[in-house]
Amino acid sequence: MSEPVLVGNQLLELREQFENPEQQRETASIGMWVFLITEVMMFGGLFTAFTVYRLSNPAAFNEGSKEMTIVLGAINTALLILSSFTMALAVYSSSIGKTKLLAIFLIITMIIGLCFLGIKFTEYYLHYQDHKVPGFWFEYHGPSARQVQMFFVFYFILTGLHVIHMTIGIGILLVMLYRTLLGSFSATYHTAVDLAGIYWSFVDIIWIFLYAIFYIPGLHLK
Amino acid sequence: MQLQDQVHIGGSADMTIETIAEPVRKNYLNDKQGILSWLLTTDHKRIGLLYTFSITVLFFIGGFFALMMRLELLSPRNWLVSTETYNKLFTMHGIIMVWFFLIPSIPNTIGNFVIPLMIGAKDLAFPKLNLASWYVFMLGAGVTIYALFRGGVDTGWTFYTPFSTGYSTTYVIAAAMGIFISGFSTIMTSVNFIATIHRMRAPGLTWFRLPIFIWSMYANSVVLVLNTPVLAITLVMVAVERVFQVGIFDPALGGDPVLFQHMFWFYSHPAVYTMVLPGMAVISEIVPVFSRKPIFGYTAVAFSSVGIAVIGFLVWGHHMFVAGESVYSAMAFSLLSYFVAVPSAIKVFNWTATMYKGSVSWDTPMLYAIGFIGLFTIGGMTGLFLAALGLDVHVHDTYFVIAHFHYIMVGGTVMAFLGAFHYWWPKISGKLYPEGLGKLGAMIVFLGFNLTFFPQFVLGYLGMPRRYAAYPEEFQMLHIISTAGATILGVGYILPLCYLIWSWKYGKPAGPNPWRATGLEWQTSSPPPTHNFKKTPVVNVRAYDYEAMKEQLGLREREFENV
Amino acid sequence: MTPPPLTRKTLALVFLALWALVLGTTLIGFIDLGQYNIVVSVAFAAIQALLIALFFMQALYEGRIIRIIITGGIVWFLIMETLTLGDYMTRGWLPFPGK
Ligand SMILES: [Cu+2]
C-alpha cells in the first residue's frame, strides 16, 4: 500500500495517492479538523437542547447542579487540562525528533486520562447511591422533580458521550505509543501524533464546557 | 481488445492538457480479479461501483414499498393491506429512499468515481476510509433491513415525538440505529471529498478552473458534515427517551416535542439540499457538453452552490409553521425560505442560458437533464407556495407536499442520477449503451413521473391528507391516474437497468471521449487505469472550453471519427 | 500579527493560565450572580477553549483553510442555537394562548 520515500535521509510513509509528504500532511490535517467540526455539531445539538430546557427551568437546573460533587469535578477538570498539556508536550517532542520523550509523555497522558475516568466513574457511583440515575432509580423531593431529572438526563448523556470519547482517545494514544516504540515517528514524519494531540485536546475542550454548565451554576446554592 | 487512442484536445498554445500517448490495456476492472479484490479494494472507482450495486438494490426495495402503497390507494377503502401495514409501508419507503438511496445516490457512486478523475488525482485523499464508509453503509442498511424484517416501523420517516418515543410499538430503535450508522458512512465520505478537493487537485487546476460538478459536490459535502451529526445525536436522544422513559421530547414527561422538530429539521432541511445539490452538479456537466458551449455564468453557478449550502441552513422552521412555533420565528423562516430559492433560480436560468443558441443534441443524458430542469423548476416553485405562511396552513401535510418534494427528489435527483449514469457509463464500463433504448427510457420516466405526481398536486390542493390508507371516494380517479403513472415509472426504471447491464458485456467500445467533452476524466482511457492517469495532468485552461475544442476538432476530425 | 513561537515555555504558560482560569471560574461560582452564574462560567470556558485550540491544538500555526474550517464550525453551532432559541424566546409575545 505505501512505499517508503527518501526525504532528507528519513524514510517516510508516503501513500500512493499523494505526490509529496507535505501534501499528505496537509490533507490529513484538513481531514482531522473537518472531523472535529462534525463533533462540534454533534455535541452542539445536545448543548442546544440543554440551553432550551435550561432557559425554561433555570431554578430546577440549578437545583440539579447543586447535587454535583464540586471537588471531584474540579480535580477532574484540572487533571484533564494537565493531560492536554502533557499531550501538547508529546507533540512538541515528536516535532523535534525526541521519540523517547514522546513515549514518556504519551504514557503520562494516558495515565492521567485513566485517572480522569476513575474519578468520573466514582462520581457515577455516587449519583447511583444518591438515587439520581434517571430511568433506573431517580428520587428527588421538591416541586420540580421532573425538571431536575431532565438536568440529570442531559448530564448523563453528555458526560457519557464524553467518556466514550476519552476511551477512544486512550485507545488512539496506545496505538501512537506502539508506533513510537516501533520507531515510526521522526522529526520529519509525525503527522499521526499531531492528529492524536488535536483530538485529545478537543475532548478536553468538551469537558471544560461540561464543567461550566453542569458543575458551576449550582455552586452558590451550597 | 481495441487499442484506445488518446484524444489530444490540448496542443494549441492556450490549451495544453498532457495526455497519455500510448495505448492502455490494463484498466481498473481487469487489473485484479476475484471477489476479494473487490471487497478489499481501495480504488475509488471500484468503491463507486460497490456503492452503485448496493444503492440499486435498496432503490428497488424502497420502490417496492411505493408500489404497494400505490396499489393500496387504488381503492378508497383498505383492500390490499391493513392500516398498520400501510403506515409501515410509507415509513420504510421514506427511510430507505432518503437515507439509503437519495443521500448517498450521486455522491457515493458517481461522485466517488469521477471526483478524483475530474481533478486529476490518483485517488481520493483517504482510500481506506472510503472503503470503510461502504462497509459502514452496508452495516447501517443491514440493521435497517433487520428492523424491516422484524415488522418494520410506523412512525413516518420523520420519527416525530412523542409518538416515536412513547407510543409506537414497532422497531423504532433498530431503524434509528440503522440511520445512525449510515450517518457515519456519509460523514466519512464527505470528509474524504472535502480533503480531496482541497488538497489533491492537479497542478494548475485552480478553484475557478474546476468543473461545476466539483463545486456542487464540495458544497454538498460541507452541508453533510455540518448537519449529519445533529441527526445522529437527535436519534440518540429519541432512543434514550424510548428505552429509559425519561423526558426529553415527551410532554407527558416534561419535554418539548417541538424541540425534536427543530433538531430534526435542522438536519433534514439541509438534507433536502444534499439530495438535490449532487443532481445540480450532474446537470451542470451534462448541459454544456450537449450544448457545445461553456456554462453560462460560471462564477454565479459556482457560488450559487455555496449560497444554497449556507442559506439552506437558515430555513428549517418552514416545516413547523403549524407545530406551535412562534409567529415571529415563523415569519423569519418564511422570508428566509424565499431567499433560498434565489440560488436555485440562478442555476436554472444559467442552464437555460447555456442551451440558448448552443448546438443542442438530444442524447439520452441531455433528455434527462432537460427533464430535470423542468421538473425541478415545478418542484421549486411549489416549494415557494409551501414557504408562504398562509398557504402552508391550507396544504400542510397534504398530497401537495408529497408532490412537491417528489418533484424535487424523483423528478430532480433520480432523473439526474439516471442522466449521470448514462453520461459517465462509457467512462465507467468502457462501453456504449444502446442510444435508442436510452431515449425511450428517458421518455418513459418523464411521462410516468408526471402522470404519477402531477395528480397529487391536485389531490393535495383539494384536501387529501398524506399518510392515509383510505380516503373519500371523490379522490379515487386522481389516485388511479397516479397509480397508473407509477407503473409506467417502474417500467422506466427497470429498462435502463436491463440495457446498461447488457451493454456492460455486449455494448460497443466507447473510446476515451465519446461525447467529445472537456474535463480531465475524458482525457484518460475508458475504463481508466487503476491510478487514473499515466502521468499527472497539468491544467491551464478553464472548464468547458468548447470554443477551443471546436477549433481543435476541425484539425483533428479524423482522429475523432476513429475513436 | 506574528504568533509567539511554540516553545515549551509557551505551552507551560498556557497551561498555567488554564489552571488559573479553572480556579477562577470555580471560585466565582460560589458568588450568587443570579442568572449570570452560567453565563460567566461558559464565558470562562470559552476563553479556555480558545487557549487550548490556539496553542495546544496549534490552530494558531495552521493555514487559512483550517482557520476557515474552525470558524465555520463555531458559526454553524451558533446558527443552530440562535435560530432555535429565537423561536422559544419569541413565544408568548402575542396575546393569544399558544402563540
Ligand atoms: Cu425544508
Side-chain angles (χ1 to χ4, degrees):
Chain A
M1 281 289 115
S2 52
E3 49 186 309
V5 171
L6 203 63
V7 175
N9 288 337
Q10 289 285 345
L11 279 178
L12 294 190
E13 258 195 297
L14 182 68
R15 293 182 195 278
E16 59 197 5
Q17 68 271 27
F18 296 107
E19 300 289 330
N20 55 55
E22 183 56 15
Q23 184 194 26
Q24 174 167 297
R25 196 201 69 79
E26 285 180 348
T27 313
S29 159
I30 288 178
M32 187 66 195
W33 280 101
V34 174
F35 166 71
L36 289 189
I37 294 312
T38 70
E39 295 274 21
V40 167
M41 293 310 286
M42 192 184 67
F43 280 99
L46 282 168
F47 281 129
T48 306
F50 177 86
T51 318
V52 166
Y53 289 133
R54 205 203 127 84
L55 279 175
S56 40
N57 320 293
F61 271 53
N62 282 346
E63 286 294 316
S65 170
K66 204 178 112 187
E67 304 290 326
M68 298 289 129
T69 317
I70 184 64
V71 181
L72 295 180
I75 291 176
N76 250 356
T77 313
L79 275 182
L80 213 49
I81 289 174
L82 180 63
S83 81
S84 227
F85 175 53
T86 55
M87 190 64 215
L89 288 176
V91 171
Y92 181 82
S93 313
S94 79
S95 72
I96 53 173
K98 295 195 171 166
T99 45
K100 209 177 266 175
L101 262 180
L102 166 62
I104 292 169
F105 278 125
L106 284 176
I107 293 169
I108 295 176
T109 310
M110 264 188 283
I111 291 171
I112 302 174
L114 287 172
C115 290
F116 174 91
L117 288 180
I119 294 178
K120 195 67 231 158
F121 281 107
T122 314
E123 276 188 271
Y124 285 155
Y125 182 68
L126 292 177
H127 295 312
Y128 171 73
Q129 283 193 323
D130 286 350
H131 309 174
K132 289 286 178 294
V133 186
F136 286 106
W137 195 359
F138 193 83
E139 283 172 24
Y140 184 82
H141 304 289
S144 47
R146 225 161 48 176
Q147 281 72 22
V148 176
Q149 175 171 320
M150 180 86 84
F151 172 89
F152 274 95
V153 169
F154 278 99
Y155 168 78
F156 275 103
I157 297 181
L158 271 163
T159 56
L161 211 53
H162 181 260
V163 164
I164 293 173
H165 279 80
M166 285 289 293
T167 317
I168 296 171
I170 292 173
I172 293 174
L173 293 195
L174 268 176
V175 176
M176 290 306 130
L177 182 64
Y178 176 71
R179 290 183 63 185
T180 310
L181 298 179
L182 282 186
S184 307
F185 301 123
S186 63
T188 41
Y189 176 72
H190 48 83
T191 310
V193 180
D194 292 359
L195 300 187
I198 291 174
Y199 177 83
W200 188 266
S201 292
F202 175 79
V203 177
D204 185 10
I205 289 181
I206 294 293
W207 175 260
I208 285 172
F209 279 102
L210 297 188
Y211 180 66
I213 64 173
F214 288 128
Y215 289 81
I216 307 287
L219 268 185
H220 65 274
L221 299 175
K222 292 203 175 178
Chain B
M1 191 168 183
Q2 187 198 6
L3 289 192
Q4 288 168 336
D5 296 288
Q6 273 301 321
V7 180
H8 290 260
I9 67 159
S12 66
D14 61 328
M15 197 166 173
T16 47
I17 297 175
E18 288 184 43
T19 48
I20 319 152
E22 57 190 276
V24 181
R25 280 204 177 79
K26 274 215 156 189
N27 61 53
Y28 79 101
L29 291 169
N30 63 17
D31 191 10
K32 285 181 194 130
Q33 305 282 345
I35 187 88
L36 268 186
S37 77
W38 282 85
L39 292 178
L40 298 176
T41 183
T42 52
D43 183 346
H44 67 100
K45 300 182 285 303
R46 285 187 164 207
I47 296 169
L49 287 186
L50 289 175
Y51 262 115
T52 307
F53 172 74
S54 342
I55 278 171
T56 308
V57 171
L58 286 156
F59 175 77
F60 281 101
I61 295 176
F64 169 75
F65 293 128
L67 196 65
M68 294 299 285
M69 278 150 69
R70 282 318 320 166
L71 286 177
E72 162 62 34
L73 291 170
L74 277 174
S75 158
R77 268 172 293 280
N78 289 67
W79 70 280
L80 183 64
V81 293
S82 66
T83 315
E84 288 75 24
T85 313
Y86 185 81
N87 290 347
K88 290 174 181 172
L89 283 177
F90 69 68
T91 304
M92 296 312 292
H93 168 69
I95 289 176
I96 289 188
M97 285 305 199
V98 167
W99 284 293
F100 298 98
F101 177 73
L102 284 167
I103 289 182
S105 61
I106 296 173
N108 292 23
T109 58
I110 290 292
N112 232 331
F113 195 96
V114 299
I115 285 179
L117 285 166
M118 273 188 173
I119 64 175
K122 290 186 203 126
D123 205 320
L124 286 173
F126 312 117
K128 282 182 197 157
L129 190 71
N130 198 17
L131 180 65
S133 109
W134 181 72
Y135 278 103
V136 172
F137 176 78
M138 291 308 279
L139 181 66
V143 173
T144 309
I145 303 259
Y146 161 82
L148 180 74
F149 277 109
R150 291 302 300 268
V153 192
D154 64 350
T155 58
W157 74 280
T158 50
F159 291 101
Y160 268 18
T161 55
F163 181 69
S164 62
T165 56
Y167 303 96
S168 172
T169 53
T170 51
Y171 287 82
V172 175
I173 293 183
M177 177 87 100
I179 296 164
F180 179 84
I181 295 170
S182 81
F184 281 99
S185 129
T186 308
I187 288 175
M188 286 174 183
T189 305
S190 304
V191 170
N192 215 340
F193 285 177
I194 290 174
T196 305
I197 295 171
H198 265 297
R199 276 285 165 260
M200 311 286 284
R201 300 192 308 272
L205 193 53
T206 58
W207 279 92
F208 288 97
R209 284 177 186 164
L210 285 172
I212 294 290
F213 186 88
I214 303 290
W215 278 88
S216 299
M217 293 306 295
Y218 181 80
N220 183 55
S221 305
V222 168
V223 174
L224 281 171
V225 156
L226 289 166
N227 73 351
T228 311
V230 179
L231 173 75
I233 202 63
T234 310
L235 291 177
V236 166
M237 281 152 85
V238 166
V240 166
E241 170 156 331
R242 195 174 159 83
V243 172
F244 302 112
Q245 290 301 312
V246 291
I248 302 177
F249 299 125
D250 186 348
L253 298 165
D256 178 5
V258 178
L259 180 65
F260 170 83
Q261 297 188 21
H262 270 298
M263 296 182 66
F264 182 82
W265 289 111
F266 177 87
Y267 163 78
S268 253
H269 184 81
V272 171
Y273 286 107
T274 65
M275 298 172 209
V276 79
L277 266 171
M280 295 168 157
V282 169
I283 304 308
S284 305
E285 290 304 301
I286 294 178
V287 168
V289 177
F290 295 97
S291 306
R292 314 307 300 167
K293 271 175 70 189
I295 194 153
F296 182 84
Y298 177 95
T299 329
V301 181
F303 279 109
S304 65
S305 298
V306 182
I308 286 174
V310 174
I311 307 174
F313 270 101
L314 310 175
V315 301
W316 79 80
H318 61 217
H319 295 269
M320 303 155 58
F321 288 159
V322 296
E325 186 182 32
S326 96
V327 175
Y328 298 96
S329 193
M331 266 154 50
F333 279 124
S334 174
L335 186 67
L336 286 163
S337 302
Y338 280 106
F339 287 155
V340 80
V342 175
S344 305
I346 289 177
K347 281 183 189 289
V348 170
F349 283 125
N350 282 315
W351 292 325
T352 323
T354 308
M355 284 191 268
Y356 179 66
K357 284 189 174 170
S359 56
V360 177
S361 51
W362 305 96
D363 296 280
T364 312
M366 190 60 168
L367 291 184
Y368 279 113
I370 292 172
F372 175 100
I373 297 173
L375 300 179
F376 174 76
T377 306
I378 297 176
M381 298 295 278
T382 48
L384 289 178
F385 292 26
L386 293 165
L389 275 170
L391 196 53
D392 183 67
V393 175
H394 176 61
V395 291
H396 191 91
D397 267 350
T398 66
Y399 268 72
F400 192 88
V401 181
I402 305 285
H404 152 69
F405 70 72
H406 280 87
Y407 263 77
I408 301 278
M409 290 170 193
V410 185
T413 310
V414 179
M415 292 286 263
F417 180 76
L418 290 171
F421 265 89
H422 285 87
Y423 177 56
W424 278 291
W425 190 251
K427 187 53 63 183
I428 295 170
S429 65
K431 302 291 175 61
L432 293 171
Y433 57 86
E435 183 64 33
L437 280 177
K439 282 182 185 157
L440 182 69
M443 264 146 2
I444 293 177
V445 168
F446 187 79
L447 181 79
F449 173 82
N450 280 298
L451 209 55
T452 311
F453 292 104
F454 196 79
Q456 298 189 2
F457 277 125
V458 186
L459 274 173
Y461 198 77
L462 296 176
M464 167 87 205
R466 65 195 286 196
R467 294 179 172 172
Y468 280 83
Y471 54 87
E473 276 174 25
E474 69 219 60
F475 295 134
Q476 189 175 13
M477 198 57 221
L478 288 165
H479 271 302
I480 289 177
I481 298 175
S482 184
T483 304
T487 323
I488 299 175
L489 193 56
V491 174
Y493 290 146
I494 291 171
L495 182 64
L497 183 72
C498 297
Y499 66 71
L500 286 181
I501 293 174
W502 174 86
S503 73
W504 184 274
K505 193 134 195 228
Y506 303 106
K508 278 190 239 150
N513 192 0
W515 308 120
R516 302 176 182 186
T518 62
L520 292 178
E521 80 266 33
W522 302 106
Q523 306 295 305
T524 186
S525 53
S526 309
T530 299
H531 287 299
N532 296 348
F533 300 94
K534 271 241 159 128
K535 221 165 121 194
T536 306
V538 178
V539 182
N540 53 14
V541 290
R542 66 197 172 111
Y544 316 113
D545 204 345
Y546 286 102
E547 279 306 307
M549 192 175 189
K550 218 181 274 173
E551 282 168 29
Q552 208 65 41
L553 278 175
L555 298 173
R556 295 173 176 275
E557 197 61 57
R558 195 177 301 135
E559 212 172 307
F560 260 99
E561 272 157 20
N562 294 340
V563 167
Chain C
M1 188 194 84
T2 47
L6 192 69
T7 57
R8 268 166 288 195
K9 200 177 148 202
T10 325
L11 292 176
L13 283 175
V14 171
F15 165 64
L16 289 176
L18 287 169
W19 264 18
L21 284 164
V22 175
L23 190 67
T25 186
T26 313
L27 291 179
I28 294 174
F30 283 102
I31 307 164
D32 187 357
L33 299 171
Q35 280 315 303
Y36 289 98
N37 273 95
I38 192 163
V39 178
V40 172
S41 69
V42 170
F44 267 80
I47 298 170
Q48 293 174 64
L50 191 69
L51 283 176
I52 293 180
L54 288 181
F55 293 98
F56 287 179
M57 296 163 89
Q58 304 193 14
L60 196 57
Y61 305 89
E62 291 281 2
R64 198 166 55 106
I65 296 166
I66 303 286
R67 281 187 218 172
I68 292 172
I69 292 172
I70 299 170
T71 323
I74 296 166
V75 167
W76 251 257
F77 164 63
L78 292 177
I79 287 175
M80 175 163 53
E81 278 269 8
T82 46
L83 284 184
T84 307
L85 290 181
D87 172 24
Y88 286 90
M89 306 285 249
T90 54
R91 285 195 198 168
W93 280 14
L94 284 181
F96 315 124
K99 290 288 168 188

